[in-house]
């Protein structure tokens, strides 16, 4: 459930930023990637604190050692979402 919520949030953020700044594609892409990264990392800690993230044994996961990898993968995911949503909105507006 958590990945679906984050994906919907990412698409909405990227769509709103690209819709607001249609002329500056790469600036909008980088700005929405940064916002997606911040929202995703914040959501990760919020979901962990609320108890929604559990591993197979029912314990809270410890991802403090893998935070750099999580950040890199989330940045890449945010960049892809931002580029695809930006191109889609560029085609729709043309």
């Amino acid at each position: 459930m958590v990945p679906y919520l984050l994906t919907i949030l990412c698409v909405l953020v990227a769509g709103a930023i690209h819709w607001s700044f249609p002329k500056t594609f790469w600036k909008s892409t980088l700005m929405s990637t940064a916002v997606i990264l911040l929202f995703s990392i914040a959501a990760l800690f919020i979901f962990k604190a609320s108890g929604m993230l559990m591993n197979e044994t029912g314990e809270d996961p410890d991802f403090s050692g893998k935070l750099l990898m999580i950040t890199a993968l989330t940045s890449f995911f945010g960049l892809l979402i931002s580029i695809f949503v930006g191109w889609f909105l560029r085609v729709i507006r043309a």
Side-chain angles (χ1 to χ4, degrees):
M1 179 77 176
V2 173
Y4 297 122
L5 292 174
L6 288 177
T7 303
I8 291 170
L9 178 69
C10 292
V11 169
L12 291 176
V13 165
I17 290 176
H18 277 285
W19 190 265
S20 299
F21 306 109
K23 300 288 184 196
T24 57
F25 178 77
W26 290 109
K27 181 181 177 185
S28 300
T29 299
L30 293 177
M31 190 175 0
S32 64
T33 300
V35 170
I36 288 169
L37 177 65
L38 290 175
F39 278 164
S40 297
I41 298 297
L44 183 67
F45 285 108
I46 290 170
F47 287 140
K48 182 182 179 203
S50 69
M52 289 182 72
L53 297 179
M54 296 283 180
N55 60 12
E56 296 83 25
T57 61
E59 301 171 352
D60 285 334
D62 181 29
F63 50 81
S64 60
K66 299 185 190 261
L67 195 58
L68 183 64
M69 185 181 67
I70 292 170
T71 303
L73 290 174
T74 305
S75 298
F76 181 68
F77 172 74
L79 182 68
L80 287 178
I81 291 290
S82 297
I83 288 173
F84 291 145
V85 169
W87 281 342
F88 178 75
L89 288 178
R90 182 180 275 184
V91 168
I92 295 295
R93 284 187 146 190

